[in-house]
Protein backbone atom coordinates (compact mmCIF):
# COMPACT_ATOMS: atom_id res chain seq x y z
CA UNK A 1 0.00 0.00 0.00
CA UNK A 2 2.82 2.41 0.87
CA UNK A 3 4.54 1.64 -2.43
CA UNK A 4 1.38 2.66 -4.26
CA UNK A 5 1.18 5.87 -2.18
CA UNK A 6 4.76 6.72 -3.17
CA UNK A 7 4.00 6.19 -6.87
CA UNK A 8 0.83 8.26 -6.65
CA UNK A 9 2.57 11.01 -4.65
CA UNK A 10 5.45 11.35 -7.10
CA UNK A 11 3.15 11.58 -10.11
CA UNK A 12 3.89 10.61 -13.70
CA UNK A 13 6.47 13.31 -14.34
CA UNK A 14 8.62 12.31 -11.38
CA UNK A 15 8.27 8.66 -12.27
CA UNK A 16 9.59 9.43 -15.75
CA UNK A 17 12.53 11.31 -14.25
CA UNK A 18 13.37 8.28 -12.13
CA UNK A 19 14.00 6.25 -15.27
CA UNK A 20 17.39 6.08 -16.89
CA UNK A 21 17.89 8.66 -19.64
CA UNK A 22 16.78 7.77 -23.15
CA UNK A 23 18.49 10.03 -25.65
CA UNK A 24 16.91 10.44 -29.04
CA UNK A 25 18.41 12.74 -31.60
CA UNK A 26 17.48 13.36 -35.17
CA UNK A 27 17.14 10.42 -37.50
CA UNK A 28 20.50 9.51 -39.08
CA UNK A 29 20.96 10.03 -42.76
CA UNK A 30 21.12 7.14 -45.16
CA UNK A 31 24.84 7.77 -45.77
CA UNK A 32 25.79 8.02 -42.11
CA UNK A 33 28.26 5.31 -41.11
CA UNK A 34 26.97 2.67 -38.73
CA UNK A 35 29.01 1.89 -35.61
CA UNK A 36 31.25 -1.14 -35.63
CA UNK A 37 29.69 -3.65 -33.24
CA UNK A 38 33.03 -5.23 -32.54
CA UNK A 39 34.28 -1.99 -30.97
CA UNK A 40 31.29 -1.60 -28.65
CA UNK A 41 31.29 -2.77 -25.01
CA UNK A 42 29.61 -6.08 -24.25
CA UNK A 43 26.48 -4.43 -22.85
CA UNK A 44 25.95 -2.18 -25.90
CA UNK A 45 24.49 -3.46 -29.14
CA UNK A 46 23.64 -1.81 -32.49
CA UNK A 47 20.04 -1.71 -33.63
CA UNK A 48 18.17 -0.58 -36.68
CA UNK A 49 17.30 3.04 -37.28
CA UNK A 50 13.64 2.38 -36.56
CA UNK A 51 14.30 1.10 -33.06
CA UNK A 52 11.65 2.38 -30.66
CA UNK A 53 10.23 1.42 -27.25
CA UNK A 54 7.64 -0.83 -28.86
CA UNK A 55 8.19 -4.15 -30.61
CA UNK A 56 10.71 -4.04 -33.44
CA UNK A 57 12.35 -6.37 -35.89
CA UNK A 58 15.67 -6.01 -34.11
CA UNK A 59 16.45 -8.51 -31.42
CA UNK A 60 15.78 -7.17 -27.93
CA UNK A 61 17.95 -9.71 -26.16
CA UNK A 62 21.02 -8.21 -24.45
CA UNK A 63 24.50 -9.41 -25.20
CA UNK A 64 25.59 -12.59 -23.40
CA UNK A 65 26.83 -11.91 -19.91
CA UNK A 66 25.14 -8.52 -19.62
CA UNK A 67 22.21 -7.75 -17.33
CA UNK A 68 20.92 -4.71 -19.18
CA UNK A 69 21.37 -3.66 -22.78
CA UNK A 70 21.97 -0.29 -24.33
CA UNK A 71 20.85 0.34 -27.91
CA UNK A 72 23.07 2.54 -30.08
CA UNK A 73 22.37 3.66 -33.65
CA UNK A 74 24.31 6.54 -35.25
CA UNK A 75 23.85 9.27 -32.68
CA UNK A 76 20.83 7.66 -31.07
CA UNK A 77 21.14 5.81 -27.77
CA UNK A 78 18.43 4.10 -25.74
CA UNK A 79 18.62 2.10 -22.54
CA UNK A 80 16.65 -1.00 -21.66
CA UNK A 81 14.95 -0.16 -18.37
CA UNK A 82 12.08 -1.79 -16.52
CA UNK A 83 8.66 -0.64 -17.64
CA UNK A 84 7.62 0.15 -14.06
CA UNK A 85 7.83 3.68 -12.72
CA UNK A 86 11.04 3.20 -10.75
CA UNK A 87 13.01 0.14 -11.74
CA UNK A 88 13.58 -3.20 -10.05
CA UNK A 89 15.99 -1.92 -7.40
CA UNK A 90 13.89 1.12 -6.52
CA UNK A 91 10.70 -0.97 -6.42
CA UNK A 92 12.37 -3.40 -4.03
CA UNK A 93 13.48 -0.55 -1.77
CA UNK A 94 9.98 0.94 -1.69
CA UNK A 95 8.41 -2.44 -0.90
CA UNK A 96 10.76 -2.89 2.10
CA UNK A 97 10.23 0.62 3.40
CA UNK A 98 8.22 0.90 6.64
CA UNK A 99 7.49 3.68 9.09
CA UNK A 100 9.83 2.18 11.69
CA UNK A 101 12.77 1.79 9.28
CA UNK A 102 12.37 5.14 7.47
CA UNK A 103 10.00 7.40 9.42
CA UNK A 104 11.02 10.61 7.64
CA UNK A 105 10.61 9.17 4.14
CA UNK A 106 7.27 7.58 4.98
CA UNK A 107 6.02 10.84 6.52
CA UNK A 108 7.27 12.84 3.53
CA UNK A 109 5.64 10.65 0.88
CA UNK A 110 2.46 10.30 2.93
CA UNK A 111 2.26 14.09 3.10
CA UNK A 112 2.75 14.33 -0.66
CA UNK A 113 0.02 11.75 -1.23
CA UNK A 114 -2.37 13.57 1.14
CA UNK A 115 -1.63 16.89 -0.56
CA UNK A 116 -2.34 15.39 -3.97
CA UNK A 117 -5.61 13.87 -2.80
CA UNK A 118 -6.71 17.17 -1.22
CA UNK A 119 -5.99 18.96 -4.50
CA UNK A 120 -8.00 16.32 -6.32
CA UNK A 121 -10.91 16.77 -3.90
CA UNK A 122 -10.75 20.55 -4.23
CA UNK A 123 -10.77 20.24 -8.01
CA UNK A 124 -13.80 17.96 -7.81
CA UNK A 125 -15.66 20.48 -5.60
CA UNK A 126 -14.88 23.33 -8.00
CA UNK A 127 -16.62 21.40 -10.77
CA UNK A 128 -19.93 22.13 -9.03
CA UNK A 129 -19.75 25.90 -8.42
CA UNK A 130 -23.47 26.35 -7.81
CA UNK A 131 -23.62 23.74 -5.06
CA UNK A 132 -20.42 25.11 -3.55
CA UNK A 133 -21.76 28.67 -3.59
CA UNK A 134 -25.06 27.64 -1.98
CA UNK A 135 -23.23 25.74 0.76
CA UNK A 136 -20.93 28.65 1.56
CA UNK A 137 -23.82 31.10 1.56
CA UNK A 138 -25.90 28.89 3.85
CA UNK A 139 -22.99 28.56 6.27
CA UNK A 140 -22.45 32.32 6.32
CA UNK A 141 -26.13 33.02 6.95
CA UNK A 142 -26.30 30.45 9.75
CA UNK A 143 -23.21 31.96 11.41
CA UNK A 144 -24.51 35.53 11.06
CA UNK A 145 -27.84 34.64 12.69
CA UNK A 146 -25.98 33.75 15.89
CA UNK A 147 -25.16 37.45 16.33
CA UNK A 148 -28.66 38.76 15.62
CA UNK A 149 -30.67 39.14 18.86
CA UNK A 150 -33.88 37.15 19.03
CA UNK A 151 -35.55 34.00 20.30
CA UNK A 152 -33.81 31.93 17.64
CA UNK A 153 -30.40 32.40 19.27
CA UNK A 154 -31.22 29.97 22.09
CA UNK A 155 -32.48 27.39 19.58
CA UNK A 156 -29.32 27.71 17.50
CA UNK A 157 -27.16 27.28 20.58
CA UNK A 158 -29.00 24.10 21.51
CA UNK A 159 -28.57 22.78 18.00
CA UNK A 160 -24.86 23.63 18.07
CA UNK A 161 -24.44 21.88 21.43
CA UNK A 162 -26.30 18.78 20.20
CA UNK A 163 -24.31 18.58 16.97
CA UNK A 164 -21.01 19.21 18.75
CA UNK A 165 -21.71 16.56 21.39
CA UNK A 166 -22.52 13.81 18.92
CA UNK A 167 -19.76 14.86 16.51
CA UNK A 168 -17.40 14.38 19.44
CA UNK A 169 -18.41 10.72 19.66
CA UNK A 170 -18.10 10.26 15.91
CA UNK A 171 -14.55 11.64 16.07
CA UNK A 172 -13.69 9.29 18.92
CA UNK A 173 -14.99 6.40 16.84
CA UNK A 174 -12.80 7.42 13.90
CA UNK A 175 -9.76 7.62 16.17
CA UNK A 176 -10.55 4.15 17.49
CA UNK A 177 -10.46 2.35 14.14
CA UNK A 178 -8.18 4.43 11.93
CA UNK A 179 -4.50 3.63 11.60
CA UNK A 180 -4.63 -0.12 10.77
CA UNK A 181 -5.08 -1.19 14.39
CA UNK A 182 -2.89 1.58 15.86
CA UNK A 183 -5.79 3.83 16.84
CA UNK A 184 -6.80 4.87 20.34
CA UNK A 185 -8.96 2.50 22.37
CA UNK A 186 -11.61 5.15 22.77
CA UNK A 187 -14.30 2.73 23.91
CA UNK A 188 -12.26 1.78 26.96
CA UNK A 189 -11.11 5.36 27.58
CA UNK A 190 -14.29 7.34 26.84
CA UNK A 191 -17.48 5.53 25.81
CA UNK A 192 -17.23 2.71 28.35
CA UNK A 193 -16.79 5.08 31.34
CA UNK A 194 -19.60 7.29 29.99
CA UNK A 195 -22.01 4.33 29.86
CA UNK A 196 -20.89 3.15 33.31
CA UNK A 197 -21.49 6.60 34.80
CA UNK A 198 -24.91 6.84 33.18
CA UNK A 199 -25.78 3.40 34.61
CA UNK A 200 -24.69 4.28 38.13
CA UNK A 201 -26.51 7.63 38.01
CA UNK A 202 -29.71 5.98 36.76
CA UNK A 203 -29.73 3.48 39.67
CA UNK A 204 -28.89 6.27 42.13
CA UNK A 205 -31.68 8.55 40.88
CA UNK A 206 -34.18 5.78 40.22
CA UNK A 207 -34.93 7.13 36.74
CA UNK A 208 -33.20 8.20 33.53
CA UNK A 209 -34.54 11.77 33.31
CA UNK A 210 -31.15 13.45 33.70
CA UNK A 211 -28.76 15.12 31.28
CA UNK A 212 -25.68 13.27 30.07
CA UNK A 213 -23.79 16.36 28.83
CA UNK A 214 -23.63 20.03 29.69
CA UNK A 215 -23.26 21.82 33.01
CA UNK A 216 -25.95 19.73 34.74
CA UNK A 217 -24.73 16.38 33.46
CA UNK A 218 -25.40 13.31 35.61
CA UNK A 219 -27.23 15.29 38.30
CA UNK A 220 -30.38 13.84 39.78
CA UNK A 221 -33.41 16.08 39.41
CA UNK A 222 -37.11 15.73 39.93
CA UNK A 223 -38.64 14.19 36.80
CA UNK A 224 -40.65 16.62 34.71
CA UNK A 225 -43.50 14.13 34.52
CA UNK A 226 -44.68 11.16 36.46
CA UNK A 227 -44.16 8.98 33.38
CA UNK A 228 -40.38 9.25 33.65
CA UNK A 229 -38.58 6.07 32.73
CA UNK A 230 -37.49 3.94 35.66
CA UNK A 231 -33.94 2.71 35.97
CA UNK A 232 -34.19 -0.49 34.00
CA UNK A 233 -31.81 -2.18 31.58
CA UNK A 234 -33.77 -1.12 28.50
CA UNK A 235 -34.20 2.46 29.75
CA UNK A 236 -30.48 2.87 30.38
CA UNK A 237 -29.68 1.33 26.99
CA UNK A 238 -31.96 3.87 25.30
CA UNK A 239 -30.32 6.65 27.31
CA UNK A 240 -26.87 5.96 25.88
CA UNK A 241 -27.99 4.56 22.50
CA UNK A 242 -27.34 7.72 20.47
CA UNK A 243 -23.80 8.21 21.79
CA UNK A 244 -23.08 4.54 21.16
CA UNK A 245 -24.54 4.79 17.66
CA UNK A 246 -22.40 7.82 16.80
CA UNK A 247 -19.27 6.14 18.13
CA UNK A 248 -20.02 3.04 16.04
CA UNK A 249 -20.60 5.19 12.95
CA UNK A 250 -17.21 6.80 13.52
CA UNK A 251 -15.51 3.41 13.70
CA UNK A 252 -17.13 2.51 10.36
CA UNK A 253 -15.79 5.72 8.79
CA UNK A 254 -12.33 4.97 10.19
CA UNK A 255 -12.22 1.72 8.21
CA UNK A 256 -12.50 3.52 4.86
CA UNK A 257 -8.85 4.66 4.31
CA UNK A 258 -7.47 1.09 4.01
CA UNK A 259 -10.34 0.23 1.68
CA UNK A 260 -9.75 3.20 -0.62
CA UNK A 261 -5.96 2.75 -0.70
CA UNK A 262 -6.28 -0.94 -1.52
CA UNK A 263 -8.90 -0.15 -4.15
CA UNK A 264 -6.60 2.40 -5.78
CA UNK A 265 -3.74 -0.11 -5.74
CA UNK A 266 -6.01 -2.68 -7.38
CA UNK A 267 -6.98 -0.19 -10.08
CA UNK A 268 -3.28 0.40 -10.73
CA UNK A 269 -2.75 -3.31 -11.35
CA UNK A 270 -1.22 -4.13 -7.97
CA UNK A 271 -4.32 -5.42 -6.20
CA UNK A 272 -3.92 -9.18 -6.38
CA UNK A 273 -0.16 -9.43 -5.86
CA UNK A 274 -0.40 -10.32 -2.18
CA UNK A 275 -3.26 -12.75 -2.75
CA UNK A 276 -1.42 -14.51 -5.57
CA UNK A 277 1.67 -14.80 -3.40
CA UNK A 278 -0.32 -16.46 -0.62
CA UNK A 279 -2.03 -18.77 -3.07
CA UNK A 280 1.34 -19.90 -4.45
CA UNK A 281 2.66 -20.55 -0.95
CA UNK A 282 -0.43 -22.56 -0.05
CA UNK A 283 -0.31 -24.51 -3.33
CA UNK A 284 3.40 -25.30 -2.96
CA UNK A 285 2.84 -26.29 0.70
CA UNK A 286 5.45 -23.84 1.87
CA UNK A 287 5.55 -22.87 5.56
CA UNK A 288 3.20 -19.96 6.29
CA UNK A 289 3.15 -17.63 9.25
CA UNK A 290 0.08 -17.11 11.41
CA UNK A 291 -0.45 -13.76 9.72
CA UNK A 292 -0.38 -15.33 6.24
CA UNK A 293 -2.88 -18.02 7.28
CA UNK A 294 -5.21 -15.44 8.79
CA UNK A 295 -4.94 -13.22 5.71
CA UNK A 296 -5.67 -16.12 3.36
CA UNK A 297 -8.68 -17.13 5.49
CA UNK A 298 -10.04 -13.60 5.34
CA UNK A 299 -9.61 -13.57 1.55
CA UNK A 300 -11.54 -16.80 1.12
CA UNK A 301 -14.29 -15.86 3.59
CA UNK A 302 -15.00 -12.49 2.03
CA UNK A 303 -14.89 -13.79 -1.52
CA UNK A 304 -17.38 -16.52 -0.62
CA UNK A 305 -19.89 -14.67 1.58
CA UNK A 306 -19.57 -11.02 0.45
CA UNK A 307 -21.95 -8.70 2.33
CA UNK A 308 -22.77 -11.28 5.02
CA UNK A 309 -19.08 -11.96 5.63
CA UNK A 310 -18.30 -8.26 6.01
CA UNK A 311 -21.26 -7.87 8.38
CA UNK A 312 -20.08 -10.73 10.57
CA UNK A 313 -16.53 -9.40 10.69
CA UNK A 314 -17.76 -5.92 11.63
CA UNK A 315 -20.28 -7.12 14.24
CA UNK A 316 -17.77 -8.92 16.45
CA UNK A 317 -14.66 -7.40 18.06
CA UNK A 318 -11.70 -8.76 16.10
CA UNK A 319 -8.30 -7.39 15.10
CA UNK A 320 -8.58 -8.72 11.53
CA UNK A 321 -11.17 -6.28 10.23
CA UNK A 322 -8.45 -4.05 8.78
CA UNK A 323 -7.52 -7.02 6.61
CA UNK A 324 -11.17 -7.29 5.60
CA UNK A 325 -11.18 -3.67 4.45
CA UNK A 326 -7.98 -4.15 2.47
CA UNK A 327 -9.35 -7.36 0.96
CA UNK A 328 -12.56 -5.65 -0.12
CA UNK A 329 -10.52 -2.92 -1.78
CA UNK A 330 -8.31 -5.46 -3.55
CA UNK A 331 -11.24 -7.36 -5.02
CA UNK A 332 -13.22 -4.25 -5.97
CA UNK A 333 -16.15 -4.77 -3.61
CA UNK A 334 -18.62 -1.90 -4.25
CA UNK A 335 -18.32 0.97 -1.80
CA UNK A 336 -21.88 0.85 -0.52
CA UNK A 337 -21.69 -2.91 -0.04
CA UNK A 338 -18.57 -2.53 2.11
CA UNK A 339 -19.62 0.60 3.99
CA UNK A 340 -23.22 -0.53 4.45
CA UNK A 341 -22.20 -3.84 5.99
CA UNK A 342 -19.52 -2.14 8.09
CA UNK A 343 -21.94 0.54 9.33
CA UNK A 344 -24.64 -1.97 10.26
CA UNK A 345 -22.19 -4.29 11.96
CA UNK A 346 -20.24 -1.70 13.94
CA UNK A 347 -22.85 0.98 14.62
CA UNK A 348 -25.95 -1.11 15.29
CA UNK A 349 -24.73 -4.53 16.39
CA UNK A 350 -21.23 -4.25 17.86
CA UNK A 351 -21.76 -0.99 19.76
CA UNK A 352 -25.08 -2.25 21.17
CA UNK A 353 -23.46 -5.46 22.40
CA UNK A 354 -20.64 -3.53 24.05
CA UNK A 355 -23.08 -1.10 25.69
CA UNK A 356 -25.17 -3.99 27.00
CA UNK A 357 -22.09 -5.62 28.51
CA UNK A 358 -21.09 -2.41 30.33
CA UNK A 359 -24.63 -1.77 31.60
CA UNK A 360 -24.86 -5.33 32.92
CA UNK A 361 -21.43 -5.10 34.57
CA UNK A 362 -22.39 -1.91 36.46
CA UNK A 363 -25.95 -2.86 37.37
CA UNK A 364 -27.09 -2.96 40.99
CA UNK A 365 -27.13 -6.73 41.08
CA UNK A 366 -23.58 -7.05 39.79
CA UNK A 367 -22.27 -4.36 42.12
CA UNK A 368 -24.00 -6.04 45.09
CA UNK A 369 -22.18 -9.27 44.26
Amino acid sequence: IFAHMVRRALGPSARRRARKPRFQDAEPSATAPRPNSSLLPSNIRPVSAKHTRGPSTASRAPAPGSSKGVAVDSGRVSFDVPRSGFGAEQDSQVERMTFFSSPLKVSYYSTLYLHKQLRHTAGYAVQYPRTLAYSVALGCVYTALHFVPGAHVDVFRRVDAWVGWHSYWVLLGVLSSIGLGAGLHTFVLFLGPHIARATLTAYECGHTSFAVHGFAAFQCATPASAAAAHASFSAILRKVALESLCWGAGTAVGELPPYFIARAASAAGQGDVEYQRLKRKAHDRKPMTVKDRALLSVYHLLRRFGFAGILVFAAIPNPLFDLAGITCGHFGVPFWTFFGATFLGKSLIKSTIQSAVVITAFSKDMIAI
Side-chain angles (χ1 to χ4, degrees):
I1 293 174
F2 174 70
H4 172 71
M5 291 175 61
V6 171
R7 295 184 179 94
R8 291 289 300 274
L10 289 178
S13 59
R15 290 199 296 269
R16 287 195 297 268
R17 288 195 300 269
R19 299 179 180 178
K20 290 186 176 181
R22 183 184 291 268
F23 303 99
Q24 294 185 359
D25 297 333
E27 290 292 336
S29 62
T31 59
R34 298 186 62 83
N36 188 356
S37 59
S38 62
L39 301 179
L40 297 177
S42 60
N43 66 328
I44 300 180
R45 53 188 170 78
V47 296
S48 63
K50 295 183 178 180
H51 179 76
T52 59
R53 292 181 59 186
S56 66
T57 57
S59 173
R60 299 290 293 175
S66 62
S67 58
K68 289 185 180 181
V70 183
V72 180
D73 182 15
S74 302
R76 180 161 132 184
V77 182
S78 63
F79 294 87
D80 285 340
V81 296
R83 293 299 179 90
S84 62
F86 295 98
E89 183 178 356
Q90 290 82 355
D91 281 338
S92 178
Q93 292 177 359
V94 171
E95 294 294 341
R96 294 195 304 266
M97 192 181 300
T98 64
F99 181 79
F100 297 102
S101 62
S102 304
L104 296 180
K105 286 185 178 180
V106 172
S107 301
Y108 172 71
Y109 287 121
S110 300
T111 304
L112 287 181
Y113 180 80
L114 180 60
H115 177 259
K116 185 173 183 178
Q117 294 304 313
L118 290 177
R119 289 184 59 184
H120 176 74
T121 304
Y124 179 79
V126 172
Q127 295 178 2
Y128 301 92
R130 183 175 299 179
T131 303
L132 183 63
Y134 286 158
S135 301
V136 173
L138 183 62
C140 293
V141 170
Y142 182 80
T143 304
L145 288 176
H146 284 73
F147 302 96
V148 178
H152 63 278
V153 175
D154 185 57
V155 177
F156 281 3
R157 288 178 179 174
R158 291 183 181 180
V159 171
D160 293 342
W162 188 90
V163 172
W165 172 251
H166 294 94
S167 300
Y168 165 76
W169 290 110
V170 173
L171 178 61
L172 288 179
V174 173
L175 294 177
S176 178
S177 60
I178 203 169
L180 294 173
L184 296 173
H185 299 284
T186 54
F187 181 87
V188 177
L189 297 175
F190 297 95
L191 184 59
H194 174 78
I195 297 174
R197 188 177 182 184
T199 303
L200 296 175
T201 304
Y203 283 119
E204 180 183 353
C205 300
H207 58 81
T208 58
S209 297
F210 55 87
V212 292
H213 66 93
F215 296 103
F218 302 105
Q219 295 182 8
C220 295
T222 303
S225 62
H230 297 285
S232 61
F233 175 86
S234 59
I236 299 174
L237 187 61
R238 290 194 300 269
K239 188 69 176 178
V240 298
L242 200 53
E243 289 83 357
S244 180
L245 179 69
C246 292
W247 180 85
T251 60
V253 174
E255 300 292 350
L256 293 180
Y259 168 81
F260 282 123
I261 293 176
R263 186 174 178 178
S266 178
Q270 307 164 13
D272 294 334
V273 175
E274 184 70 9
Y275 177 64
Q276 296 300 331
R277 182 185 68 84
L278 294 177
K279 282 185 65 177
R280 286 194 299 269
K281 291 183 68 174
H283 181 267
D284 298 339
R285 299 184 181 276
K286 294 182 179 180
M288 300 178 65
T289 63
V290 176
K291 176 185 175 182
D292 289 342
R293 292 194 186 97
L295 184 59
L296 193 60
S297 300
V298 172
Y299 278 136
H300 291 161
L301 180 65
L302 294 182
R303 292 193 69 178
R304 181 175 180 181
F305 296 102
F307 183 91
I310 301 172
L311 182 63
V312 170
F313 263 82
I316 58 176
N318 70 88
L320 299 178
F321 192 80
D322 289 325
L323 300 179
I326 295 174
T327 304
C328 292
H330 278 176
F331 292 112
V333 175
F335 169 76
W336 288 112
T337 300
F338 172 75
F339 184 71
T342 304
F343 181 85
L344 292 177
K346 287 184 171 290
S347 184
L348 297 181
I349 301 177
K350 179 183 175 181
S351 62
T352 302
I353 294 175
Q354 292 176 319
S355 300
V357 170
V358 174
I359 293 173
T360 303
F362 286 87
S363 63
K364 287 194 305 183
D365 297 335
M366 294 296 295
I367 292 178
I369 296 176

